Amino acid sequence: MPTPPRRPQPVIIQGGMGVAVSGWELARAVAGRGQLGVVSGTALDAVLAGRLQLGDPGGHMRRALAAFPVPGAAAYVLDHYFVEGGIAPGERMRAMARLRLDRGEHAELLTVLGNFVEVWLAKEGHDGLVGVNYLAKIQLATAPALFGAILAGVDHVLVGAGIPGEIPALATRLARAEPVTTHVTVEGDDETLPYTFDPRGGRMAQLCLEQGVLRRPDVLAIVSLPVLASYLVRDPATRPDGFVIETHRAGGHSAPPRGKLVLDAAGDPVYGPRDHPDLAKVAALGIPFWLAGGAAHPARLAAARALGAEGVQLGSVFALCEESGLRDDLRTELRTRARAGTLRVRNDPRASPTAFPFKVAELPGTLSDEAVRAARRPVCDLGYLRTPARAESGALVYRCAAEPVAAYVRKGGDAADTAGRVCLCNGLLATVGLGRRRASGTDEPPIVTIGQDLAFLDDISPDGRSYTAADVIDWMTGARVQLAASV
């Protein structure tokens, strides 16, 4: 049988940035310029429910829901969350069901629809490539989230923050609308527990795929070192279609240093020679790859391609552009402080409940400020980073090191694990204007993540003005230089 022709590959991947920083507007702008636009797949159930309760300005959520192949399922979510004109000022958003190992039909359905809506909107009006990004650590959401994205025609799925060994086979089966079983890690247990998702179960039972098998997206594994890439390619079941090789300079979560954790004077993890990927080994695998982490410069793109990469993945430069989901005030503050040389971005080894180092931009009024953090009343009402665990009694519980300490300890956790942890779920939603209001009348404070290399601002916007995703692509690919030369 002849080898199928290789798909055209993008030179630039716009990285997935959650929650909703890389939303449908940014991904659509990038895809419309011929590169891979990526929506963040994290917490899209909360994003959809939140936007509907705010009145769905512009009608985008309802337009996408009208395209969902099971009208009854879309109507159910609309009836549950849509508020004409938006909730009243000071009113609290409606609580949502959480995914659990023992199912939870409402939570699954909202997860499917949240991902469908975001990808559908990102693909609307063009024929460019759109991807979705997931965190392997958030295991319970992966199957329903991916199915929603596949229903909307997603072209690529990118997975990091863990070992995405199950994703290639998962994508294949979900494209056939077949039931799938993922294996969920349980803290304090030697075995994993199965979590089965049936794409045609519950309110999705009326799903009829007249077009037959859906298109399977390409799977790109986000890894930091060739050793994990080599492990994944050994077995056809775990072999991805490509890799994103991401260094610790990237925003959001990053892999911890290899070996014993050592902190520098600022409290950031120290990375050494063992943490720098040998790209010759990656190239020898014969699979397309892209470089990420401080790659925002045309010279770095050229260097990556010279080393055998298809191109680069960029995050921070897109996070600061006009189409980004970041609140305008936070985006402006980041750019202003970065230009003035007063912005500090910590690679905090304690902030994230996942135990992965997490980049935190130090901005006033955000959770980077100890006083703001201390004033916040701990609450865990979203729970995306909860993990199943065994309590001392042997009971299955769900816990997060950023939840109230007493609750964490009651579930068998060690109080020492909670020191320095930050509620990323609520903080990141607040960063995109979907923060939850508490009974006390206060709003959840945001937490901002960005990469540690923002030198690109001097090149892409030397006069300090705002810029667009198209400006980023033109700058990186040389189109802007060519245009200037022709004038």
Side-chain angles (χ1 to χ4, degrees), residues 30-389:
V30 172
R33 298 288 291 194
Q35 304 302 329
L36 176 56
V38 179
V39 298
S40 167
T42 303
L44 284 178
D45 53 344
V47 171
L48 173 60
R51 288 171 176 165
L52 288 173
Q53 289 174 84
L54 292 177
D56 185 21
H60 304 298
M61 304 299 104
R62 286 166 289 169
R63 186 171 73 254
L65 285 171
F68 192 68
V70 186
Y76 174 77
V77 168
L78 273 173
D79 291 344
H80 206 73
Y81 292 106
F82 179 62
V83 178
E84 186 71 47
I87 59 176
E91 187 177 347
R92 299 171 66 188
M93 287 187 179
R94 186 168 187 173
M96 299 184 308
R98 304 187 192 189
L99 289 166
R100 302 174 63 88
L101 278 165
D102 53 0
R103 301 298 295 271
E105 181 189 342
H106 181 88
E108 283 187 344
L109 177 60
L110 191 57
T111 300
V112 170
L113 282 164
N115 282 262
F116 175 89
V117 164
E118 202 74 8
V119 172
W120 190 91
L121 288 170
K123 290 186 69 68
E124 186 183 26
H126 65 85
D127 58 1
L129 297 174
V130 170
V132 62
N133 177 270
Y134 298 121
L135 301 179
K137 279 279 189 178
I138 305 180
Q139 296 175 294
L140 290 173
T142 302
L146 181 53
F147 183 64
I150 289 175
L151 277 177
V154 74
D155 300 289
H156 291 72
V157 54
L158 300 87
V159 186
I163 301 176
E166 290 189 319
I167 305 301
L170 199 67
T172 299
R173 291 182 62 87
L174 287 174
R176 301 171 183 156
E178 297 174 353
V180 295
T181 298
T182 55
H183 297 87
V184 179
T185 302
V186 178
E187 293 183 43
D189 217 339
D190 293 332
E191 298 182 0
T192 58
L193 292 180
Y195 172 71
T196 300
F197 169 70
D198 185 354
R200 301 193 187 200
R203 294 182 183 274
M204 300 284 290
Q206 56 185 299
L207 182 64
C208 179
L209 305 178
E210 296 180 357
Q211 68 272 45
V213 176
L214 296 161
R215 183 163 50 83
R216 177 194 183 275
D218 280 356
V219 175
L220 304 184
I222 303 174
V223 300
S224 59
L225 294 170
V227 63
L228 178 53
S230 298
Y231 167 78
L232 291 171
V233 301
R234 288 186 304 177
D235 186 337
T238 62
R239 184 185 181 96
D241 301 289
F243 291 104
V244 175
I245 310 299
E246 186 176 79
T247 72
H248 65 275
R249 301 292 294 175
H253 289 95
S254 56
R258 300 183 75 184
K260 183 179 179 181
L261 179 63
V262 177
L263 303 180
D264 63 17
D268 286 17
V270 176
Y271 291 83
R274 296 175 63 198
D275 301 302
H276 296 289
D278 184 337
L279 297 180
K281 291 183 178 179
V282 178
L285 297 174
I287 292 180
F289 70 96
W290 290 258
L291 302 186
H297 194 280
R300 295 172 193 170
L301 171 58
R305 290 178 63 81
L307 291 168
E310 299 289 334
V312 294
Q313 175 178 284
L314 309 177
S316 299
V317 67
F318 284 115
L320 297 181
C321 76
E322 291 179 4
E323 296 92 342
S324 157
L326 273 176
R327 278 175 17 194
D328 289 343
D329 60 321
L330 296 172
R331 187 167 59 242
T332 300
E333 184 79 7
L334 283 167
R335 288 202 303 253
T336 300
R337 287 177 175 263
R339 291 181 184 283
T342 59
L343 178 65
R344 184 187 177 209
V345 179
R346 283 203 61 208
N347 191 21
D348 194 327
R350 296 291 304 174
S352 174
T354 67
F356 280 77
F358 185 76
K359 306 299 186 312
V360 177
E362 296 190 347
L363 297 178
T366 71
L367 288 167
S368 64
D369 186 327
E370 288 293 341
V372 173
R373 194 181 303 187
R376 177 185 180 269
R377 178 179 171 270
V379 62
C380 183
D381 57 344
L382 294 170
Y384 295 102
L385 298 180
R386 294 179 311 147
T387 55

